[in-house]
Amino acid sequence: MKLSITAWCVQKKLFGRSMTLKDFIDFAAKNGVKAVELLDCFWQDFTPEEIRRYLDEKQMRCVCYSVINNFLRADSTIEQEIAKVKAGVDLAPVLGTNMVRVFSSRPNPAYTKEETMKVIVNSLKECADYAKAHGVTLVLENHGAFAGSSKQAMQIISDVGSDALFINADTGNFLVGLEEPLHGVCAVYDKLRYLHIKDVVYAQAGEPTMDGRFLEGVVVGEGIANIPGIVSALKERGYTGYLSVEYEGIDRDCCEGTIQCIDKMKQLLHN
């Protein structure tokens, strides 16, 4: 198993322009992580070609490119959201990766549940067909009301029926759907190609769960996601892919929290 960091860890600094993507890459390298995940919302400062050259100079790699799509977005269209994913597929090789992370959709009251699932499946099928034709793999994150649990995510994968669509398991997101993360990871393992390491605790505010509670991000090992158990299970199953740190805590500086997560993950991976 190998370690990476997602740029979402430092979203506040990137959106606030106090950190650039090159700074983020330097941050990863300085802390002994040779791989990063980049997102489609962070192109303010440099072009993809410039970032690829910088990654090569630093002997780093982009292991996944993430598209923030929502096929049922009210101020967009299904076709526009599909086009967004296809653009991500086109851009991935420029960044040196053949993996693109995608989402299902957020609820839209204009659609019934049956209509919603039809849109999600058909849209992902079109995106997966396009990805396959371009040598790219899509990874669907277990996120939200329609793909948050292992059962939901696996059902979408089955309904789409493409060998270019797999799962990006997010350890913290399973708890949004009231599923124990170790169970969730093991349940999707046959379709697992990428994994976000996120630890969380119940809090007064934060990400709402399906039963009305809230989750807040914390440093790996300080929460309830049982990251040590998940790492052990992955080792037993021979997982050789990337584990990408995604620190979302608010109790400390995002860089400080991410560094602590990196240190903890290095310990777990080498034990």
Side-chain angles (χ1 to χ4, degrees), residues 176-196:
V176 173
L178 312 181
E179 182 173 13
E180 202 282 316
L182 176 57
H183 175 272
V185 171
C186 292
V188 303
Y189 185 78
D190 287 345
K191 293 294 182 178
L192 183 67
R193 288 296 181 275
Y194 189 52
L195 193 141
H196 279 175

Side-chain angles (χ1 to χ4, degrees), residues 33-172:
V33 179
K34 303 294 289 182
V36 295
E37 174 188 331
L38 302 178
L39 286 79
D40 66 351
C41 53
F42 295 134
W43 290 118
Q44 302 99 320
D45 301 293
F46 304 101
T47 67
E49 290 80 8
E50 288 174 319
I51 290 300
R52 173 62 184 277
R53 287 195 293 271
Y54 197 70
L55 286 166
D56 290 344
E57 289 172 13
K58 295 288 182 176
Q59 296 184 308
M60 301 275 289
R61 67 167 300 196
C62 171
V63 296
C64 184
Y65 181 59
S66 293
V67 176
I68 305 177
N69 64 290
N70 177 3
F71 299 120
L72 301 178
R73 185 171 170 173
D75 61 349
S76 182
T77 67
I78 297 169
E79 292 75 20
Q80 287 173 326
E81 296 301 298
I82 289 174
K84 187 186 296 183
V85 175
K86 290 181 178 179
V89 169
D90 292 338
L91 186 55
V94 176
L95 296 169
T97 183
N98 64 352
M99 186 184 298
V100 172
R101 177 172 65 116
V102 295
F103 296 91
S104 55
S105 290
R106 293 186 179 276
N108 183 333
Y111 295 83
T112 66
K113 183 177 180 181
E114 182 178 348
E115 290 170 338
T116 292
M117 297 314 299
K118 184 176 180 179
V119 168
I120 291 172
V121 169
N122 289 344
S123 298
L124 285 173
K125 187 177 190 316
E126 182 173 340
C127 293
D129 288 347
Y130 186 84
K132 183 176 181 179
H134 290 76
V136 171
T137 294
L138 301 184
V139 286
L140 173 69
E141 179 158 334
N142 60 302
H143 181 275
F146 307 119
S149 72
S150 60
K151 183 177 181 180
Q152 289 174 310
M154 290 293 278
Q155 186 63 56
I156 290 174
I157 297 295
S158 176
D159 289 346
V160 172
S162 171
D163 57 5
L165 179 65
F166 293 88
I167 289 180
N168 163 210
D170 182 299
T171 57

